[in-house]
Amino acid sequence: MHLILKASGANAGVVSHLLAKNPNNVYDRTDKGVRVRMVYTTTLEQETEVEVFIHAEPDPVQLVRGTPDGYDITQYINDREFVTSSLFCSYIRGALGTALNGKPKEDYVQWVDHAFELELKFGPVASDLPDRVVEELFSPLGYEVTIERGESAYSFDLKNRSTVRHITIRGKQTIQQSLRQLFLLIPVLDNYKHYFISEDEMDKINRYGEGWLDTHPLKELIVRRTLRFAELIRTYERQYGALTAGTLRSEQGEGATGYQQVKAEPESALPVHEDKDISADAAVDSSETPVRLNDLRYRAITDIVASLSDKRRIVDMGAGEGKLSARLAYISGVESILAVEPSGQSRLRAMERFAKMQDRPGVKVIPEPMLGSLFYFDEQMQHQDVMILCEVIEHIEEYRLDGILDTILKEYQPKVLLMTTPNKEYNEVYAMEQEQLRHHDHRFEWTREEFNSRCAHWAEKSNYTYEISGIGMDKEGFGQPTQLAMFTRRKEEQG
């Protein structure tokens, strides 16, 4: 994690006084396992150029010690140690407190409101925002934006370039305002908060956003990604007025990591959000109920299952926290549901969800959480009536899919297999970049033609018939955001 601040022009040497750090000394502090260093790499005698390098190095073990997920090894596999995020802002706030507050020594107070020619470089940033949106966050503030990406040297076909970026902004701005802008916008880019978000966050928005946020064209995006929770956003609007109408709305994509992707607002009667959970990105207008794409998927799948004549035994593969399995439990005629999931953390949450269903009216069966994976054979999944892969296959390397589908259709032999996956063509409607995937864990995304071709291949090899339909708003030329395939065993094969 690092930030490089460079000031050029007459009286640039004053910057060291605004930062309250002597260029001749190295600032080196370690607090709570985090080492923060601040070094002047350039200082000219004529004081026409000053460059300061700020670096934070946290203890990776300390980052996860004492967290609720301490039993799950996946907590150690993350980017928090490296990326410039809300953690980084917290680490360096103490070193930059004087500059952020605009309270240097009395002799230099006059320079607080002086605009310098600044260049600020920071990174790496792990952001789900397209480059275009990153630029639109900074360019209205008067900055020229440069974005650098590293090349991805994978030994297998995953993606052509990294989602991690190093960002440089150049423009004329005061030290205080430039740092306040970064402290508000860096967490917006990273879309992650390491602390509990309360109403205090609204004070932070007003303090750091004073003088520039109210007129920013992406104010809605900034506020939503800062406050995250719908109730806080409503409270903010009640206290400070409606958010500036924007052309972008954020969505939370698939996966347990809470990934969020900015997209163009769909032209539908109701806003659509690709959420698995209720998130801050839900519409705050209480006059309309937000319809999330994931809800539409669940609805489509439960409607199909309810219409089947054989639906007593169901397998929900990759069940996650059990949300789809819980909905299937209300369908008449269903007698057993295996909610299969490899993640221990997700299974625990599913167990909690299923336990709360015990006394609810209308529940036909309590789903059974089960450890399992598509990568190995499990005889318990043989000869079930319905097997469901809801947003699962795109998280698996393409070269493995033929073997997995061979196991499902030839060994497990469900009477019906339901499979959903993103429609790659629809990403253009979401204003995503050409090679961008909807979730950082997606190994691929297919066009409608590609999905149909693979389904035809799998069906032909295993004597299944198949039908493909779409889920979500239909956009001419792009189809619908989600593709759904329904494989049905031929009657002579069902025995």
Side-chain angles (χ1 to χ4, degrees):
M1 311 174 179
H2 74 265
L3 167 65
I4 300 175
L5 186 155
K6 180 178 180 180
S8 304
N11 301 304
V14 175
V15 169
S16 64
H17 297 280
L18 297 177
L19 297 175
K21 299 294 179 293
N22 190 329
N24 298 316
N25 299 330
V26 175
Y27 179 93
D28 193 336
R29 301 287 188 276
T30 300
D31 183 35
K32 297 180 181 178
V34 181
R35 186 181 184 187
V36 177
R37 284 169 284 183
M38 190 168 172
V39 181
Y40 289 83
T41 55
T42 302
T43 54
L44 298 182
E45 293 182 2
Q46 296 85 358
E47 294 188 336
T48 59
E49 183 176 299
V50 171
E51 182 177 86
V52 59
F53 177 83
I54 307 168
H55 181 265
E57 185 178 342
D59 180 346
V61 176
Q62 188 68 31
L63 283 175
V64 297
R65 180 173 290 149
T67 62
D69 303 329
Y71 53 82
D72 194 338
I73 193 172
T74 57
Q75 65 173 323
Y76 293 96
I77 308 171
N78 62 67
D79 59 12
R80 297 299 91 189
E81 178 188 357
F82 309 102
V83 296
T84 304
S85 63
S86 64
L87 281 166
F88 176 70
C89 294
S90 295
Y91 297 155
I92 68 173
R93 184 174 288 113
L96 298 175
T98 299
L100 286 167
N101 295 327
K103 296 181 178 180
K105 290 183 178 180
E106 187 174 350
D107 292 345
Y108 299 95
V109 170
Q110 60 179 315
W111 296 99
V112 171
D113 295 326
H114 179 79
F116 296 90
E117 290 291 341
L118 298 180
E119 178 181 277
L120 299 108
K121 299 180 181 180
F122 57 95
V125 174
S127 181
D128 55 352
L129 295 176
D131 288 352
R132 173 183 56 80
V133 179
V134 174
E135 293 177 8
E136 290 173 358
L137 283 173
F138 292 100
S139 57
L141 303 176
Y143 295 109
E144 175 189 337
V145 184
T146 302
I147 299 173
E148 298 179 10
R149 290 175 179 260
E151 295 296 324
S152 298
Y154 294 104
S155 59
F156 50 90
D157 186 17
L158 179 58
K159 54 187 177 181
N160 295 326
R161 60 177 182 170
S162 173
T163 56
V164 174
R165 280 154 281 185
H166 290 265
I167 299 171
T168 302
I169 59 174
R170 300 177 182 87
K172 198 167 186 178
Q173 186 57 272
T174 69
I175 295 296
Q176 181 188 34
Q177 195 73 299
S178 63
L179 290 176
R180 287 185 169 188
Q181 289 164 352
L182 287 186
F183 271 61
L184 192 56
L185 294 181
I186 283 176
V188 169
L189 291 170
D190 184 68
N191 201 24
Y192 167 87
K193 292 286 180 67
H194 68 283
Y195 53 84
F196 177 76
I197 303 174
S198 66
E199 291 191 10
D200 292 342
E201 203 74 359
M202 292 188 286
D203 296 331
K204 176 181 173 182
I205 291 176
N206 292 331
R207 185 169 67 256
Y208 288 170
E210 183 180 1
W212 62 273
L213 182 57
D214 284 341
T215 58
H216 198 293
L218 295 186
K219 178 183 178 181
E220 180 182 6
L221 172 68
I222 294 168
V223 172
R224 288 182 184 277
R225 285 170 74 105
T226 300
L227 297 179
R228 301 180 72 88
F229 300 110
E231 186 54 42
L232 279 179
I233 296 171
R234 295 190 189 101
T235 301
Y236 183 90
E237 288 195 307
R238 285 194 297 267
Q239 294 186 13
Y240 304 107
L243 303 179
T244 302
T247 57
L248 296 175
R249 183 183 298 273
S250 56
E251 68 171 4
Q252 184 174 9
E254 302 91 336
T257 56
Y259 168 85
Q260 294 184 326
Q261 173 65 53
V262 167
K263 62 179 175 62
E265 180 67 25
E267 298 174 5
S268 58
L270 296 176
V272 175
H273 302 277
E274 256 189 287
D275 291 309
K276 282 201 168 182
D277 298 302
I278 297 174
S279 74
D281 301 316
V284 296
D285 186 355
S286 58
S287 65
E288 57 182 22
T289 303
V291 178
R292 297 166 294 188
L293 181 54
N294 207 60
D295 288 334
L296 297 180
R297 291 192 198 104
Y298 291 164
R299 187 184 306 169
I301 291 171
T302 53
D303 285 348
I304 292 174
V305 173
S307 70
L308 298 174
S309 56
D310 296 320
K311 51 178 176 286
R312 291 186 302 113
R313 298 171 300 169
I314 299 176
V315 176
D316 182 9
M317 289 295 304
E321 298 176 8
K323 295 180 181 179
L324 175 58
S325 295
R327 298 193 185 201
L328 295 168
Y330 288 87
I331 299 176
S332 297
V334 175
E335 297 178 3
S336 73
I337 301 172
L338 298 179
V340 184
E341 170 61 36
S343 167
Q345 178 180 335
S346 295
R347 285 200 315 280
L348 283 176
R349 291 177 179 171
M351 291 170 66
E352 294 172 356
R353 185 184 305 278
F354 300 154
K356 294 176 182 178
M357 297 171 58
Q358 292 287 346
D359 300 320
R360 289 184 183 174
V363 174
K364 310 303 179 184
V365 62
I366 302 299
E368 178 185 348
M370 174 179 165
L371 172 64
S373 169
L374 287 169
F375 297 137
Y376 57 82
F377 179 81
D378 190 333
E379 62 183 10
Q380 295 179 79
M381 288 182 259
Q382 284 186 296
H383 308 300
Q384 301 284 328
D385 293 316
V386 183
M387 181 171 284
I388 301 168
L389 301 179
C390 179
E391 303 302 286
V392 170
I393 63 170
E394 62 273 10
H395 294 269
I396 302 170
E397 289 81 1
E398 278 191 77
Y399 73 87
R400 290 182 142 183
L401 288 178
D402 284 347
I404 287 172
L405 267 294
D406 194 59
T407 298
I408 291 175
L409 299 178
K410 292 184 179 180
E411 301 293 336
Y412 291 159
Q413 298 182 359
K415 293 179 181 178
V416 171
L417 169 66
L418 300 176
M419 177 192 303
T420 71
T421 194
N423 169 18
K424 181 180 179 180
E425 297 165 74
Y426 209 86
N427 292 352
E428 189 170 340
V429 179
Y430 290 156
M432 294 170 59
E433 296 177 2
Q434 186 174 5
E435 297 299 323
Q436 191 174 7
L437 301 177
R438 295 190 198 175
H439 186 273
H440 66 82
D441 189 51
H442 284 186
R443 302 307 197 252
F444 66 88
E445 286 170 6
W446 284 335
T447 64
R448 288 171 290 173
E449 181 180 350
E450 289 171 333
F451 187 49
N452 183 72
S453 175
R454 296 301 291 265
C455 288
H457 171 70
W458 295 328
E460 182 181 1
K461 287 181 59 181
S462 52
N463 290 316
Y464 274 74
T465 61
Y466 75 96
E467 297 179 15
I468 293 180
S469 57
I471 300 172
M473 185 190 68
D474 195 347
K475 190 78 171 179
E476 185 177 356
F478 302 98
Q480 293 167 270
T482 294
Q483 308 182 77
L484 185 151
M486 177 176 174
F487 292 82
T488 305
R489 286 183 65 202
R490 300 179 191 275
K491 292 192 179 296
E492 63 269 22
E493 293 293 318
Q494 294 185 18

